Short mmCIF file of all heavy atoms in Angstrom, two decimals:
data_model
loop_
_atom_site.label_atom_id
_atom_site.label_comp_id
_atom_site.label_asym_id
_atom_site.label_seq_id
_atom_site.Cartn_x
_atom_site.Cartn_y
_atom_site.Cartn_z
N MET A 1 -34.10 76.17 54.17
CA MET A 1 -34.39 77.55 54.12
C MET A 1 -35.57 77.87 53.22
O MET A 1 -35.61 77.31 52.06
CB MET A 1 -33.22 78.39 53.68
CG MET A 1 -32.03 78.24 54.53
SD MET A 1 -32.25 79.24 56.05
CE MET A 1 -31.90 80.94 55.45
N THR A 2 -36.49 78.60 53.69
CA THR A 2 -37.64 78.93 52.82
C THR A 2 -37.68 80.46 52.63
O THR A 2 -38.83 80.98 52.48
CB THR A 2 -39.00 78.44 53.49
OG1 THR A 2 -38.97 78.99 54.81
CG2 THR A 2 -39.04 76.92 53.48
N ASP A 3 -36.57 81.07 52.66
CA ASP A 3 -36.56 82.54 52.64
C ASP A 3 -36.99 82.98 51.19
O ASP A 3 -36.65 82.38 50.20
CB ASP A 3 -35.06 83.07 52.84
CG ASP A 3 -34.72 82.94 54.30
OD1 ASP A 3 -35.49 82.47 55.09
OD2 ASP A 3 -33.63 83.29 54.57
N HIS A 4 -37.81 84.06 51.20
CA HIS A 4 -38.15 84.69 50.00
C HIS A 4 -37.34 85.93 49.91
O HIS A 4 -37.70 86.99 50.45
CB HIS A 4 -39.65 84.92 50.02
CG HIS A 4 -40.47 83.71 50.01
ND1 HIS A 4 -40.56 82.77 49.03
CD2 HIS A 4 -41.24 83.24 51.09
CE1 HIS A 4 -41.33 81.79 49.47
NE2 HIS A 4 -41.71 81.97 50.60
N HIS A 5 -36.20 85.79 49.26
CA HIS A 5 -35.42 87.07 49.11
C HIS A 5 -36.02 88.08 48.14
O HIS A 5 -36.53 87.74 47.16
CB HIS A 5 -33.97 86.72 48.64
CG HIS A 5 -33.15 85.88 49.67
ND1 HIS A 5 -32.85 86.50 50.81
CD2 HIS A 5 -32.85 84.63 49.57
CE1 HIS A 5 -32.18 85.60 51.46
NE2 HIS A 5 -32.14 84.46 50.85
N ILE A 6 -35.94 89.29 48.59
CA ILE A 6 -36.61 90.25 47.91
C ILE A 6 -35.61 90.71 46.69
O ILE A 6 -34.38 90.40 46.76
CB ILE A 6 -36.74 91.60 48.71
CG1 ILE A 6 -35.42 92.24 49.24
CG2 ILE A 6 -37.78 91.25 49.85
CD1 ILE A 6 -35.70 93.59 49.94
N THR A 7 -36.20 91.26 45.64
CA THR A 7 -35.45 91.65 44.49
C THR A 7 -34.69 92.91 44.70
O THR A 7 -35.08 93.68 45.65
CB THR A 7 -36.37 91.67 43.23
OG1 THR A 7 -37.21 92.80 43.42
CG2 THR A 7 -37.21 90.39 43.03
N ASP A 8 -33.83 93.15 43.86
CA ASP A 8 -33.16 94.46 43.91
C ASP A 8 -34.16 95.56 43.72
O ASP A 8 -33.92 96.64 44.31
CB ASP A 8 -31.97 94.63 42.87
CG ASP A 8 -30.87 93.67 43.05
OD1 ASP A 8 -30.72 93.25 44.26
OD2 ASP A 8 -30.12 93.40 42.22
N GLN A 9 -35.13 95.39 42.96
CA GLN A 9 -36.13 96.53 42.65
C GLN A 9 -36.99 96.74 43.95
O GLN A 9 -37.14 97.80 44.41
CB GLN A 9 -37.08 96.17 41.60
CG GLN A 9 -38.14 97.22 41.28
CD GLN A 9 -37.48 98.53 40.91
OE1 GLN A 9 -36.81 98.60 39.98
NE2 GLN A 9 -37.76 99.62 41.67
N ASP A 10 -37.27 95.56 44.63
CA ASP A 10 -38.08 95.70 45.83
C ASP A 10 -37.22 96.47 46.96
O ASP A 10 -37.74 97.36 47.70
CB ASP A 10 -38.32 94.26 46.43
CG ASP A 10 -39.25 93.53 45.60
OD1 ASP A 10 -40.13 94.05 44.93
OD2 ASP A 10 -39.17 92.21 45.68
N TRP A 11 -36.00 96.06 47.00
CA TRP A 11 -35.05 96.81 47.92
C TRP A 11 -34.91 98.24 47.68
O TRP A 11 -34.98 99.06 48.63
CB TRP A 11 -33.72 95.98 48.04
CG TRP A 11 -32.78 96.66 48.92
CD1 TRP A 11 -31.68 97.33 48.63
CD2 TRP A 11 -32.89 96.65 50.36
NE1 TRP A 11 -31.02 97.76 49.82
CE2 TRP A 11 -31.75 97.33 50.88
CE3 TRP A 11 -33.82 96.13 51.33
CZ2 TRP A 11 -31.49 97.45 52.22
CZ3 TRP A 11 -33.60 96.26 52.56
CH2 TRP A 11 -32.42 96.97 53.08
N ALA A 12 -34.79 98.57 46.36
CA ALA A 12 -34.68 99.99 45.93
C ALA A 12 -35.98 100.77 46.44
O ALA A 12 -35.80 101.90 46.86
CB ALA A 12 -34.33 100.15 44.45
N ASP A 13 -37.11 100.15 46.19
CA ASP A 13 -38.32 100.81 46.59
C ASP A 13 -38.38 101.07 48.08
O ASP A 13 -38.77 102.04 48.53
CB ASP A 13 -39.53 100.03 46.12
CG ASP A 13 -39.63 100.00 44.61
OD1 ASP A 13 -39.10 100.90 43.90
OD2 ASP A 13 -40.49 99.14 44.09
N LEU A 14 -37.91 100.15 48.79
CA LEU A 14 -38.02 100.13 50.27
C LEU A 14 -37.01 101.27 50.73
O LEU A 14 -37.39 102.13 51.56
CB LEU A 14 -37.44 98.81 50.79
CG LEU A 14 -37.60 98.54 52.39
CD1 LEU A 14 -37.47 96.99 52.56
CD2 LEU A 14 -36.60 99.30 53.12
N VAL A 15 -35.81 101.23 50.20
CA VAL A 15 -34.81 102.23 50.73
C VAL A 15 -35.29 103.67 50.26
O VAL A 15 -35.05 104.66 51.02
CB VAL A 15 -33.44 101.84 50.08
CG1 VAL A 15 -32.53 103.05 50.39
CG2 VAL A 15 -32.88 100.57 50.70
N ALA A 16 -35.91 103.84 49.12
CA ALA A 16 -36.32 105.15 48.67
C ALA A 16 -37.63 105.50 49.27
O ALA A 16 -38.18 106.59 49.09
CB ALA A 16 -36.47 104.99 47.12
N ARG A 17 -38.27 104.58 50.07
CA ARG A 17 -39.56 104.78 50.77
C ARG A 17 -40.60 105.18 49.74
O ARG A 17 -41.40 106.09 49.88
CB ARG A 17 -39.43 105.86 51.79
CG ARG A 17 -38.53 105.34 53.00
CD ARG A 17 -38.43 106.44 54.09
NE ARG A 17 -37.81 105.84 55.24
CZ ARG A 17 -36.55 105.60 55.40
NH1 ARG A 17 -35.66 105.86 54.39
NH2 ARG A 17 -36.06 105.02 56.51
N ARG A 18 -40.60 104.39 48.59
CA ARG A 18 -41.54 104.61 47.58
C ARG A 18 -42.77 104.01 47.91
O ARG A 18 -42.84 102.75 48.23
CB ARG A 18 -40.78 104.04 46.18
CG ARG A 18 -41.51 104.42 45.00
CD ARG A 18 -40.67 104.04 43.80
NE ARG A 18 -39.42 104.78 43.71
CZ ARG A 18 -38.13 104.11 43.58
NH1 ARG A 18 -38.06 102.86 43.56
NH2 ARG A 18 -37.11 104.97 43.56
N ALA A 19 -43.86 104.71 47.68
CA ALA A 19 -45.13 104.11 48.00
C ALA A 19 -45.57 103.12 46.81
O ALA A 19 -45.46 103.45 45.56
CB ALA A 19 -46.31 105.17 47.97
N ARG A 20 -45.92 101.94 47.13
CA ARG A 20 -46.32 100.89 46.12
C ARG A 20 -47.03 99.88 46.94
O ARG A 20 -47.08 99.71 48.11
CB ARG A 20 -45.06 100.29 45.44
CG ARG A 20 -43.97 99.84 46.44
CD ARG A 20 -43.03 98.99 45.75
NE ARG A 20 -43.48 97.51 45.71
CZ ARG A 20 -42.79 96.53 45.43
NH1 ARG A 20 -41.56 96.72 44.91
NH2 ARG A 20 -43.25 95.27 45.45
N PRO A 21 -47.69 98.98 46.16
CA PRO A 21 -48.53 97.85 46.78
C PRO A 21 -47.56 96.92 47.56
O PRO A 21 -46.44 96.72 47.21
CB PRO A 21 -49.26 97.20 45.71
CG PRO A 21 -49.26 98.18 44.58
CD PRO A 21 -48.03 98.98 44.70
N GLY A 22 -48.11 96.12 48.56
CA GLY A 22 -47.43 95.17 49.23
C GLY A 22 -46.82 95.69 50.51
O GLY A 22 -46.85 96.95 50.81
N VAL A 23 -46.48 94.81 51.44
CA VAL A 23 -46.00 95.18 52.71
C VAL A 23 -44.59 94.55 53.02
O VAL A 23 -44.31 93.49 52.34
CB VAL A 23 -46.91 94.94 53.91
CG1 VAL A 23 -48.29 95.60 53.66
CG2 VAL A 23 -47.19 93.42 54.08
N ILE A 24 -43.80 95.11 53.85
CA ILE A 24 -42.43 94.66 54.01
C ILE A 24 -42.49 94.08 55.55
O ILE A 24 -42.79 94.61 56.50
CB ILE A 24 -41.54 95.87 54.10
CG1 ILE A 24 -41.56 96.62 52.86
CG2 ILE A 24 -40.12 95.38 54.47
CD1 ILE A 24 -41.30 98.15 53.05
N GLY A 25 -42.26 92.72 55.54
CA GLY A 25 -42.06 92.12 56.89
C GLY A 25 -40.60 92.09 57.29
O GLY A 25 -39.74 91.89 56.41
N VAL A 26 -40.32 92.31 58.59
CA VAL A 26 -39.04 92.30 58.99
C VAL A 26 -39.01 91.25 60.18
O VAL A 26 -39.49 91.35 61.24
CB VAL A 26 -38.58 93.64 59.77
CG1 VAL A 26 -37.24 93.66 60.11
CG2 VAL A 26 -38.93 94.76 58.73
N THR A 27 -38.24 90.10 59.86
CA THR A 27 -38.25 88.99 60.62
C THR A 27 -37.53 89.23 61.99
O THR A 27 -37.79 88.58 63.00
CB THR A 27 -37.57 87.77 59.97
OG1 THR A 27 -36.18 88.17 59.59
CG2 THR A 27 -38.39 87.46 58.72
N SER A 28 -36.57 90.21 61.97
CA SER A 28 -35.81 90.38 63.22
C SER A 28 -36.70 91.06 64.35
O SER A 28 -36.41 90.92 65.52
CB SER A 28 -34.65 91.18 62.93
OG SER A 28 -34.92 92.47 62.27
N THR A 29 -37.69 91.88 63.90
CA THR A 29 -38.54 92.58 64.84
C THR A 29 -39.93 91.93 64.89
O THR A 29 -40.66 92.33 65.80
CB THR A 29 -38.71 94.15 64.39
OG1 THR A 29 -39.30 94.09 63.14
CG2 THR A 29 -37.34 94.78 64.41
N GLY A 30 -40.31 91.19 63.94
CA GLY A 30 -41.73 90.59 63.94
C GLY A 30 -42.68 91.62 63.52
O GLY A 30 -43.94 91.47 63.73
N LEU A 31 -42.33 92.68 62.81
CA LEU A 31 -43.21 93.77 62.43
C LEU A 31 -43.31 93.84 60.97
O LEU A 31 -42.40 93.35 60.21
CB LEU A 31 -42.69 95.10 63.00
CG LEU A 31 -42.69 95.26 64.52
CD1 LEU A 31 -41.90 96.62 64.81
CD2 LEU A 31 -43.95 95.19 65.15
N PHE A 32 -44.36 94.41 60.47
CA PHE A 32 -44.34 94.70 59.01
C PHE A 32 -44.82 96.11 58.68
O PHE A 32 -45.46 96.77 59.52
CB PHE A 32 -45.31 93.61 58.30
CG PHE A 32 -46.77 93.83 58.63
CD1 PHE A 32 -47.59 94.67 57.76
CD2 PHE A 32 -47.28 93.06 59.65
CE1 PHE A 32 -48.98 94.68 58.12
CE2 PHE A 32 -48.64 93.15 59.95
CZ PHE A 32 -49.53 93.91 59.20
N CYS A 33 -44.31 96.68 57.68
CA CYS A 33 -44.59 98.03 57.24
C CYS A 33 -45.19 98.13 55.93
O CYS A 33 -44.84 97.24 55.06
CB CYS A 33 -43.34 98.83 57.25
SG CYS A 33 -42.80 99.34 58.87
N GLY A 34 -45.89 99.12 55.58
CA GLY A 34 -46.28 99.48 54.22
C GLY A 34 -45.00 100.08 53.54
O GLY A 34 -44.16 100.70 54.20
N PHE A 35 -44.88 99.95 52.27
CA PHE A 35 -43.88 100.69 51.50
C PHE A 35 -44.19 102.17 51.72
O PHE A 35 -45.32 102.67 51.82
CB PHE A 35 -43.95 100.40 50.07
CG PHE A 35 -43.16 99.18 49.67
CD1 PHE A 35 -43.84 97.85 49.60
CD2 PHE A 35 -41.85 99.17 49.43
CE1 PHE A 35 -43.28 96.80 49.34
CE2 PHE A 35 -41.16 97.98 49.05
CZ PHE A 35 -41.94 96.77 49.03
N GLY A 36 -43.07 102.94 51.96
CA GLY A 36 -43.18 104.31 52.18
C GLY A 36 -43.10 104.69 53.61
O GLY A 36 -42.97 105.87 53.98
N CYS A 37 -43.00 103.75 54.50
CA CYS A 37 -42.97 103.93 56.03
C CYS A 37 -41.53 104.52 56.30
O CYS A 37 -40.61 104.16 55.61
CB CYS A 37 -43.12 102.70 56.77
SG CYS A 37 -43.03 102.91 58.55
N VAL A 38 -41.62 105.50 57.17
CA VAL A 38 -40.32 106.14 57.54
C VAL A 38 -39.51 105.41 58.62
O VAL A 38 -38.58 106.01 59.05
CB VAL A 38 -40.62 107.70 58.03
CG1 VAL A 38 -41.26 108.44 56.88
CG2 VAL A 38 -41.55 107.53 59.27
N ALA A 39 -40.04 104.34 59.04
CA ALA A 39 -39.29 103.62 60.14
C ALA A 39 -37.92 103.25 59.50
O ALA A 39 -37.69 103.16 58.32
CB ALA A 39 -39.99 102.32 60.43
N ARG A 40 -36.97 102.98 60.47
CA ARG A 40 -35.65 102.68 60.11
C ARG A 40 -35.45 101.59 59.18
O ARG A 40 -36.17 100.64 59.23
CB ARG A 40 -34.87 102.33 61.43
CG ARG A 40 -33.45 102.15 61.38
CD ARG A 40 -32.82 102.10 62.77
NE ARG A 40 -31.46 101.64 62.62
CZ ARG A 40 -31.24 100.34 62.84
NH1 ARG A 40 -32.17 99.47 62.93
NH2 ARG A 40 -30.02 99.79 62.80
N THR A 41 -34.64 101.65 58.10
CA THR A 41 -34.53 100.70 57.15
C THR A 41 -33.87 99.45 57.76
O THR A 41 -32.82 99.54 58.48
CB THR A 41 -33.54 101.11 56.03
OG1 THR A 41 -34.09 102.38 55.52
CG2 THR A 41 -33.45 100.10 54.95
N PRO A 42 -34.56 98.25 57.61
CA PRO A 42 -34.00 97.01 58.34
C PRO A 42 -32.86 96.44 57.37
O PRO A 42 -32.57 96.89 56.29
CB PRO A 42 -35.26 96.15 58.27
CG PRO A 42 -35.99 96.55 57.01
CD PRO A 42 -35.74 98.15 56.87
N LEU A 43 -32.29 95.43 58.01
CA LEU A 43 -31.23 94.68 57.28
C LEU A 43 -31.90 93.93 56.06
O LEU A 43 -33.02 93.32 56.34
CB LEU A 43 -30.50 93.77 58.11
CG LEU A 43 -29.50 94.34 59.10
CD1 LEU A 43 -28.98 93.24 60.07
CD2 LEU A 43 -28.37 95.10 58.44
N ARG A 44 -31.34 94.00 54.99
CA ARG A 44 -32.02 93.36 53.91
C ARG A 44 -32.26 91.84 54.06
O ARG A 44 -33.25 91.27 53.69
CB ARG A 44 -31.17 93.49 52.63
CG ARG A 44 -31.79 92.84 51.34
CD ARG A 44 -30.99 93.29 50.12
NE ARG A 44 -31.54 92.50 48.97
CZ ARG A 44 -31.41 92.81 47.71
NH1 ARG A 44 -30.70 93.87 47.33
NH2 ARG A 44 -31.90 92.12 46.75
N ARG A 45 -31.34 91.20 54.80
CA ARG A 45 -31.47 89.71 54.99
C ARG A 45 -32.64 89.49 55.92
O ARG A 45 -33.17 88.24 56.03
CB ARG A 45 -30.25 89.06 55.59
CG ARG A 45 -29.84 89.48 56.93
CD ARG A 45 -28.64 88.62 57.32
NE ARG A 45 -28.28 89.00 58.74
CZ ARG A 45 -27.39 89.94 58.97
NH1 ARG A 45 -26.79 90.56 58.08
NH2 ARG A 45 -27.01 90.13 60.29
N ASN A 46 -33.18 90.39 56.68
CA ASN A 46 -34.35 90.22 57.56
C ASN A 46 -35.61 90.56 56.91
O ASN A 46 -36.68 90.52 57.53
CB ASN A 46 -34.19 91.11 58.72
CG ASN A 46 -32.91 90.63 59.58
OD1 ASN A 46 -32.57 89.49 59.52
ND2 ASN A 46 -32.29 91.58 60.31
N VAL A 47 -35.62 91.02 55.65
CA VAL A 47 -36.74 91.55 55.01
C VAL A 47 -37.51 90.50 54.22
O VAL A 47 -36.83 89.71 53.53
CB VAL A 47 -36.49 92.71 53.99
CG1 VAL A 47 -37.70 93.06 53.21
CG2 VAL A 47 -36.00 93.87 54.88
N ARG A 48 -38.78 90.32 54.34
CA ARG A 48 -39.61 89.34 53.56
C ARG A 48 -40.68 90.30 53.02
O ARG A 48 -41.28 91.23 53.66
CB ARG A 48 -40.27 88.27 54.34
CG ARG A 48 -39.30 87.45 55.16
CD ARG A 48 -38.33 86.65 54.10
NE ARG A 48 -37.43 85.78 54.85
CZ ARG A 48 -36.25 86.16 55.22
NH1 ARG A 48 -35.75 87.43 54.90
NH2 ARG A 48 -35.43 85.43 55.90
N LEU A 49 -41.20 89.93 51.73
CA LEU A 49 -42.24 90.73 51.20
C LEU A 49 -43.54 89.87 51.23
O LEU A 49 -43.59 88.69 51.13
CB LEU A 49 -41.89 90.90 49.59
CG LEU A 49 -41.98 92.24 49.18
CD1 LEU A 49 -41.10 93.21 49.92
CD2 LEU A 49 -41.53 92.33 47.75
N PHE A 50 -44.67 90.67 51.46
CA PHE A 50 -45.95 90.13 51.41
C PHE A 50 -46.92 90.86 50.52
O PHE A 50 -46.73 92.05 50.32
CB PHE A 50 -46.57 90.10 52.92
CG PHE A 50 -45.74 89.31 53.87
CD1 PHE A 50 -44.67 89.79 54.61
CD2 PHE A 50 -45.97 87.89 53.97
CE1 PHE A 50 -44.08 89.00 55.50
CE2 PHE A 50 -45.28 87.06 54.81
CZ PHE A 50 -44.35 87.62 55.53
N ASP A 51 -47.86 90.18 50.04
CA ASP A 51 -48.84 90.84 49.08
C ASP A 51 -49.77 91.82 49.86
O ASP A 51 -50.20 92.73 49.27
CB ASP A 51 -49.73 89.81 48.40
CG ASP A 51 -48.95 89.02 47.49
OD1 ASP A 51 -47.81 89.44 46.97
OD2 ASP A 51 -49.29 87.87 47.25
N SER A 52 -50.09 91.52 51.02
CA SER A 52 -51.13 92.32 51.81
C SER A 52 -50.75 92.30 53.29
O SER A 52 -49.98 91.46 53.78
CB SER A 52 -52.43 91.78 51.58
OG SER A 52 -52.50 90.48 52.00
N ARG A 53 -51.52 93.13 54.04
CA ARG A 53 -51.50 93.09 55.48
C ARG A 53 -51.86 91.77 55.99
O ARG A 53 -51.38 91.11 56.94
CB ARG A 53 -52.38 94.14 56.09
CG ARG A 53 -51.96 95.50 55.67
CD ARG A 53 -53.08 96.57 56.26
NE ARG A 53 -52.80 96.95 57.56
CZ ARG A 53 -53.52 96.62 58.65
NH1 ARG A 53 -54.52 95.85 58.52
NH2 ARG A 53 -53.10 96.99 59.89
N GLU A 54 -52.91 91.09 55.36
CA GLU A 54 -53.46 89.91 55.75
C GLU A 54 -52.46 88.78 55.80
O GLU A 54 -52.32 88.05 56.66
CB GLU A 54 -54.72 89.56 54.99
CG GLU A 54 -56.00 90.36 55.27
CD GLU A 54 -55.83 91.82 54.73
OE1 GLU A 54 -55.03 91.98 53.79
OE2 GLU A 54 -56.51 92.70 55.28
N THR A 55 -51.72 88.75 54.62
CA THR A 55 -50.75 87.62 54.55
C THR A 55 -49.56 87.82 55.59
O THR A 55 -49.05 86.85 56.07
CB THR A 55 -50.27 87.47 53.10
OG1 THR A 55 -49.73 88.82 52.66
CG2 THR A 55 -51.21 86.93 52.11
N ALA A 56 -49.26 89.01 55.83
CA ALA A 56 -48.20 89.27 56.83
C ALA A 56 -48.67 88.95 58.17
O ALA A 56 -48.00 88.27 58.98
CB ALA A 56 -47.80 90.82 56.83
N VAL A 57 -49.95 89.23 58.49
CA VAL A 57 -50.50 88.80 59.85
C VAL A 57 -50.52 87.37 60.01
O VAL A 57 -50.18 86.80 60.95
CB VAL A 57 -51.88 89.44 60.03
CG1 VAL A 57 -52.49 88.88 61.15
CG2 VAL A 57 -51.79 90.94 60.10
N ALA A 58 -50.94 86.64 58.91
CA ALA A 58 -51.06 85.28 58.85
C ALA A 58 -49.66 84.50 59.06
O ALA A 58 -49.60 83.47 59.60
CB ALA A 58 -51.66 84.78 57.50
N ALA A 59 -48.57 85.22 58.70
CA ALA A 59 -47.22 84.81 58.92
C ALA A 59 -46.73 85.11 60.31
O ALA A 59 -45.58 84.70 60.72
CB ALA A 59 -46.35 85.50 57.84
N GLY A 60 -47.57 85.70 61.13
CA GLY A 60 -47.26 85.89 62.49
C GLY A 60 -46.65 87.25 62.85
O GLY A 60 -46.10 87.53 63.92
N LEU A 61 -46.72 88.18 61.89
CA LEU A 61 -46.04 89.55 62.03
C LEU A 61 -47.16 90.58 62.45
O LEU A 61 -48.38 90.29 62.41
CB LEU A 61 -45.58 90.05 60.74
CG LEU A 61 -44.38 89.09 60.18
CD1 LEU A 61 -43.89 89.68 58.83
CD2 LEU A 61 -43.28 89.01 61.13
N ARG A 62 -46.63 91.57 63.18
CA ARG A 62 -47.58 92.60 63.69
C ARG A 62 -47.29 93.87 62.89
O ARG A 62 -46.17 94.16 62.57
CB ARG A 62 -47.36 92.84 65.23
CG ARG A 62 -47.87 91.75 66.07
CD ARG A 62 -47.42 91.94 67.52
NE ARG A 62 -46.06 91.91 67.68
CZ ARG A 62 -45.25 92.98 68.26
NH1 ARG A 62 -45.98 94.15 68.58
NH2 ARG A 62 -44.01 92.89 68.44
N ALA A 63 -48.35 94.66 62.81
CA ALA A 63 -48.21 96.11 62.06
C ALA A 63 -47.32 96.98 62.82
O ALA A 63 -47.49 97.02 64.10
CB ALA A 63 -49.61 96.55 61.88
N CYS A 64 -46.61 97.70 62.10
CA CYS A 64 -45.74 98.74 62.58
C CYS A 64 -46.66 99.85 63.21
O CYS A 64 -47.70 100.09 62.73
CB CYS A 64 -44.90 99.23 61.47
SG CYS A 64 -44.25 100.94 61.59
N ARG A 65 -46.14 100.53 64.31
CA ARG A 65 -47.04 101.43 64.93
C ARG A 65 -46.96 102.72 64.10
O ARG A 65 -48.00 103.53 64.18
CB ARG A 65 -46.40 101.81 66.35
CG ARG A 65 -46.79 100.75 67.33
CD ARG A 65 -46.33 101.17 68.77
NE ARG A 65 -46.50 100.08 69.69
CZ ARG A 65 -46.02 100.21 70.91
NH1 ARG A 65 -45.47 101.30 71.37
NH2 ARG A 65 -46.13 99.17 71.70
N ARG A 66 -45.88 103.07 63.40
CA ARG A 66 -45.88 104.31 62.69
C ARG A 66 -46.88 104.38 61.51
O ARG A 66 -47.52 105.29 61.24
CB ARG A 66 -44.45 104.48 62.11
CG ARG A 66 -43.49 104.84 63.24
CD ARG A 66 -42.22 105.38 62.56
NE ARG A 66 -41.09 105.38 63.58
CZ ARG A 66 -40.10 106.20 63.40
NH1 ARG A 66 -40.01 107.03 62.53
NH2 ARG A 66 -39.18 106.15 64.43
N CYS A 67 -46.91 103.28 60.76
CA CYS A 67 -47.58 103.26 59.54
C CYS A 67 -48.81 102.35 59.57
O CYS A 67 -49.71 102.24 58.67
CB CYS A 67 -46.77 102.80 58.31
SG CYS A 67 -46.22 101.12 58.43
N GLY A 68 -48.94 101.63 60.69
CA GLY A 68 -50.05 100.59 60.80
C GLY A 68 -50.01 99.41 59.83
O GLY A 68 -50.86 98.77 59.57
N GLY A 69 -48.83 99.36 59.09
CA GLY A 69 -48.67 98.30 58.12
C GLY A 69 -49.39 98.64 56.84
O GLY A 69 -49.62 97.77 56.07
N GLN A 70 -49.81 99.84 56.70
CA GLN A 70 -50.61 100.36 55.51
C GLN A 70 -49.62 100.85 54.59
O GLN A 70 -48.73 101.60 54.75
CB GLN A 70 -51.49 101.48 55.98
CG GLN A 70 -52.58 101.08 56.90
CD GLN A 70 -53.78 100.41 56.47
OE1 GLN A 70 -53.73 100.02 55.25
NE2 GLN A 70 -54.73 100.05 57.24
N PRO A 71 -49.79 100.42 53.27
CA PRO A 71 -49.04 101.00 52.16
C PRO A 71 -49.29 102.54 52.24
O PRO A 71 -50.49 102.95 52.31
CB PRO A 71 -49.60 100.33 50.91
CG PRO A 71 -50.07 99.04 51.43
CD PRO A 71 -50.71 99.42 52.78
N LYS A 72 -48.35 103.33 51.89
CA LYS A 72 -48.50 104.78 51.93
C LYS A 72 -48.91 105.12 50.58
O LYS A 72 -48.51 104.68 49.51
CB LYS A 72 -47.05 105.43 52.20
CG LYS A 72 -47.14 106.82 52.48
CD LYS A 72 -45.71 107.28 52.76
CE LYS A 72 -45.63 108.72 53.21
NZ LYS A 72 -44.22 109.20 53.45
N THR A 73 -49.97 106.04 50.56
CA THR A 73 -50.55 106.59 49.44
C THR A 73 -50.55 108.00 49.32
O THR A 73 -50.18 108.62 50.33
CB THR A 73 -51.97 106.02 49.15
OG1 THR A 73 -52.80 106.59 50.13
CG2 THR A 73 -52.05 104.48 49.28
N ASP A 74 -51.09 108.71 48.31
CA ASP A 74 -51.24 110.13 48.28
C ASP A 74 -52.27 110.60 49.23
O ASP A 74 -52.31 111.77 49.66
CB ASP A 74 -51.47 110.51 46.86
CG ASP A 74 -50.44 110.37 45.94
OD1 ASP A 74 -49.17 110.36 46.40
OD2 ASP A 74 -50.58 110.17 44.71
N GLN A 75 -53.21 109.61 49.58
CA GLN A 75 -54.28 109.95 50.45
C GLN A 75 -53.83 109.66 51.83
O GLN A 75 -53.40 108.55 52.18
CB GLN A 75 -55.50 109.19 50.08
CG GLN A 75 -56.10 109.36 48.75
CD GLN A 75 -56.46 110.78 48.40
OE1 GLN A 75 -57.09 111.40 49.42
NE2 GLN A 75 -56.17 111.32 47.33
N PRO A 76 -53.88 110.68 52.76
CA PRO A 76 -53.47 110.40 54.22
C PRO A 76 -54.39 109.35 54.77
O PRO A 76 -55.66 109.34 54.55
CB PRO A 76 -53.68 111.68 54.90
CG PRO A 76 -54.41 112.61 53.98
CD PRO A 76 -54.35 112.06 52.56
N VAL A 77 -53.77 108.38 55.57
CA VAL A 77 -54.50 107.40 56.13
C VAL A 77 -55.01 107.90 57.53
O VAL A 77 -54.31 108.50 58.33
CB VAL A 77 -53.73 106.20 56.49
CG1 VAL A 77 -54.45 105.12 57.21
CG2 VAL A 77 -53.11 105.65 55.16
N ALA A 78 -56.32 107.85 57.69
CA ALA A 78 -56.92 108.36 58.94
C ALA A 78 -56.44 107.70 60.20
O ALA A 78 -56.32 106.40 60.18
CB ALA A 78 -58.41 108.45 58.91
ZN1 ZN B 1 -44.14 101.15 59.37
#
């Protein structure tokens, strides 16, 4: 197993949809989201953390349609 389990803090940020750097990969769907995305909360065991969109893409994941895999910020993403 080469799973990178997320920390309790990571999980808390995800569940709270808190905007922060990094993206959330979901192995069950093959998608990744930025923190703050309103998509349905995945099962924790299916979640992997990545530093950036690029590393998530390199791992074979695709960007979520809702957030485009972009971390949510105070500035709306065009
Ligand atoms: Zn998303």
